[in-house]
Amino acid sequence: MKAKKEDNVPIPDPLAHNYHADSWQKVIKDFDGHYPSGLKDNEVSAKRVIYGFNEMLLKSTPKWLIFLKQFNNVIIYILIMAALLTLLMRHYSDATVIGLVVIINALIGYFQEINASNALEKIKNMLSVEATVIRNGNRFDIPSRNLVPGDLVYLEAGDNVPADLRIMDADNLRIQESSLTGESDSVLKSNASVAIETPLAERVNMAYATTAVTNGSATGIVTATGLKTEIGLISQSVSDVKDNKSPLTKELDTLGRGISWFIIGVAVITFVLGWVMNVYTLPVLAMAIITMIVGSMPEGLPAATSVILATGVQALTKKSAIVKTLPAAETLGAVDIIASDKTGTLTKNEMTLQDIVIGQTHYRVTGTGYAPNGQIFKNNLVIDASQNKKLEMFLTMGQQANDTFLVPENDQWQINGEPTDAAFLSAYYKAFGQKTPKLKEIDRIPFDSDYRYMARLVENQSGHRFIAIKGAPDKLFELASHSKNFDRDYWLQLSQQFAKTGKRVIAVGYHNVASDEDKVTHELLSTTGITFLGLAAIIDPPRPEVVEAIKDMRHAGIRVKMITGDSSDTAMAIGRQLGLAHDIKAMTGVDVDALNDQDLAASVTKYDVFARTTPQNKLRIVQAFQANGLITAMTGDGVNDAPALKKADIGVAMGIKGTDVAKDSADMVLANDNFSTIKIAIEQGRRLYDNIRKTILFLLPTSFAEGLIVVMSIFLQQPMPLTPTQLLWINMVSAITIQLAFIFEPAEPGLMNRPPRKTSAKLMNRHDIFQMTYVSVLIAATGLAVFEALGSNVSFAVASTMVVNIIIFGKIFYLFNIRTEAPVLSRSLWSNPMAFVAVGLMIVLQIFFTYMPFMQNIFSTAALSWLNWLIVILTGAIVLVITEIHKYFRLHKQVN
């Protein structure tokens, strides 16, 4: 609903109107503005009541509530339950350790969410601090927060646009909008109306808040302030987008719920049957049930998972991939789709001159970006430009018709000026080094929106003067038509061919003048004409490492989709160079807007390129992929990518050229801006998932075996061979030794040949459940069998100590089975030396547990003879033999 003035006259709603399609005179009338005098003070006050201040105030969740939310997790519930149980049993040290794990997990989650709120703060800080406004017939500076719709704002080079403006008059105005639209070059602006369906990147009569004026000046009327600006809508989207749980977190939550209900169910049934059967007295039975729960509860699972993920995060950091959330380290391993911004992510965001055509000769320029590293080729042979007069003339004129600076800074080449001009400077440096021609400037015509070329009058050391000119081909074609030898049709066809491949075409020429000529004017050039030299084709090139990375990702079953603000032709041309698909299909932002969410989800997977997109388009595209059950990553570097980065299952931002907003919205930051690092992260993510899965498949049956011993003892009406303290010891030493062996487990062979796992996939399949069941029964049965067989031949303490060690050695032998899919007696046995270190540490701890007097007092243990140890080792080996036989038949069945 539109807001109302005090006199009930409707006022414009920036979200409901397309001011780019109206004349600027109508926009002034709609906002009750005044040109050229501007608003009066009383009008400003009245409008502020309606529109508020030009600032972005978003509702934020209190930090204490963010912290409390971290405890709303099934795994955390299990840990808290385990802590309470150990506390009730007066094992304060164990309760303290588990409690610390709970707090640490909560703190990690808390700081992750705080990063997301930082993104909103960075957007707020992007708003210009001051604005030059015209009010009461005077022009003066005010704080930009005091602007209201209807204000007249004056812009000049160096300003940041303080609000969304409809341009009324422009003098060679160019605005850099790449962080908002994805366009790599600055945009030439005018006051002409455009069609209502014109996408954001092509609205040449609008200036948007936070973008930067690079050239010229203009006056515009404010059409939107604060949250109703385009950047405000982005900040609102970032605020509204809810964080998705990672696939692993969802699977662990499901597993945690299943385990907790299963253990509670078994505990209740066992308690009821034990009470009915009158096996033990009620206090003894209650303690037995608590013992069973403590033994069965895999309290080490969240900690082990966190440690595995943390080491993965550390490994990725060394590879320049900074992961901000632990689950994100694994999420990339499940990715089906990588939806990537083009400019600055797939491409360098550095315009590069790639082709030069002089007459009938085509030269190819190598090297990408502004760094002057490359050569010029003709027919695959390197050309010395200093020995080629026409080529030297072309490059010199392109270098002279230029007002941009290109300088090295902190190992990066930085520009001050226009990217297109920088491309010519880089090409000149590639040919002649970083020396500049000894020419003296006499006069110049800066780039003008009406004439669309730049000309510079210079004098050489001999006193000869000439005009270097560079600009739009059609304009220079007109000036070159004075020459009889100029073949306009040939050059027009050539420029169109380059344009179809997504390249920007620039024409270069010159004109000799008298030695006393000291002025260059449009009239002079249109009268005398120019000598046409040739064309240059410029493009924002793909990053060299990206092509190979995309090829590897396609081989791994991952599809890369490009989302950009560029035109369809440019985007498809880049897509073909990148090798996104065999037959690339493109969809525009206008097409996306025309579809509802259901129709977009039904068609989005058919397209490889999305062109002329807005930030809202990017967000909807990511949501459409997710609606198809596809784990989606989003990569980007601009403010316009922030909502999609936050919505994606994993957002990946560029660390060097990425905006602070993008980096704070993302889950992972590529410190080196190298897209191929994502491939490394995907492989690492798959390895982490495998190792977490192995940890779970190792931990659950061995934990259940402990609880099963208690349950079986109850129903066999025999003394319990294990005490609660012994069960806690087993879980504790397992968690700090053999469980952590999985941290160092290398990737399985052929890891990147596998397709991404499906979202419907579960951590445990039927085979896993079957193996978990029989391993649990096997360890529990062997332990009880030994305990029963020893009978009165040994003391209870000796028998109990043997059962503890049988469980431990059952775990040790099971570790070598579960570590890898390969047979245990193969080369893979030695692939993880840390597994042997972990086992060695475990055995040392068990010797202390068995023989140290103070340990015997705490855990009710007794020393074992060498025969006792032989029995322990043989019963543990039974687990390895049976599981290896099972593995052999399973793998044999898969092969056949």
Side-chain angles (χ1 to χ4, degrees), residues 801-879:
T801 305
M802 286 190 67
V803 174
V804 172
N805 281 293
I806 284 170
I807 293 173
I808 292 293
F809 274 82
K811 288 190 174 198
I812 290 173
F813 281 107
Y814 185 48
L815 169 72
F816 288 102
N817 169 265
I818 206 73
R819 269 188 50 221
T820 176
E821 283 291 289
V824 67
L825 296 178
S826 65
R827 188 179 300 174
S828 64
L829 176 65
W830 313 105
S831 62
N832 181 4
M834 289 304 297
F836 293 94
V837 174
V839 168
L841 180 59
M842 182 72 166
I843 292 173
V844 170
L845 288 172
Q846 282 308 112
I847 291 172
F848 275 107
F849 173 82
T850 305
Y851 293 105
M852 293 298 290
F854 76 92
M855 297 291 279
Q856 292 174 346
N857 292 332
I858 295 173
F859 294 102
S860 304
T861 59
L864 301 182
S865 68
W866 68 267
L867 183 59
N868 296 145
W869 280 113
L870 182 60
I871 294 172
V872 166
I873 294 171
L874 289 176
T875 50
I878 292 173
V879 177

Side-chain angles (χ1 to χ4, degrees), residues 90-123:
R90 298 185 180 181
H91 294 284
Y92 302 117
S93 59
D94 296 309
T96 301
V97 170
I98 296 172
L100 284 174
V101 171
V102 171
I103 297 299
I104 290 169
N105 278 333
L107 287 173
I108 290 171
Y110 169 76
F111 287 115
Q112 290 165 4
E113 287 205 33
I114 291 299
N115 278 331
S117 62
N118 288 344
L120 300 178
E121 291 299 322
K122 293 290 173 56
I123 291 178

Side-chain angles (χ1 to χ4, degrees), residues 245-323:
K245 285 188 176 182
S246 74
L248 177 64
T249 302
K250 293 176 183 176
E251 292 176 46
L252 288 175
D253 283 350
T254 302
L255 180 65
R257 283 192 295 269
I259 291 171
S260 59
W261 283 114
F262 175 75
I263 292 173
I264 291 170
V266 171
V268 170
I269 293 170
T270 304
F271 179 82
V272 171
L273 290 177
W275 187 31
V276 171
M277 296 168 60
N278 197 24
V279 176
Y280 302 126
T281 62
L282 190 59
V284 174
L285 179 62
M287 184 54 67
I289 296 301
I290 291 174
T291 303
M292 187 273 290
I293 293 174
V294 170
S296 302
M297 194 71 74
E299 63 264 26
L301 177 58
T305 301
S306 296
V307 171
I308 290 173
L309 290 176
T311 55
V313 166
Q314 186 178 18
L316 286 173
T317 300
K318 294 178 181 178
K319 299 290 186 180
S320 299
I322 302 169
V323 182

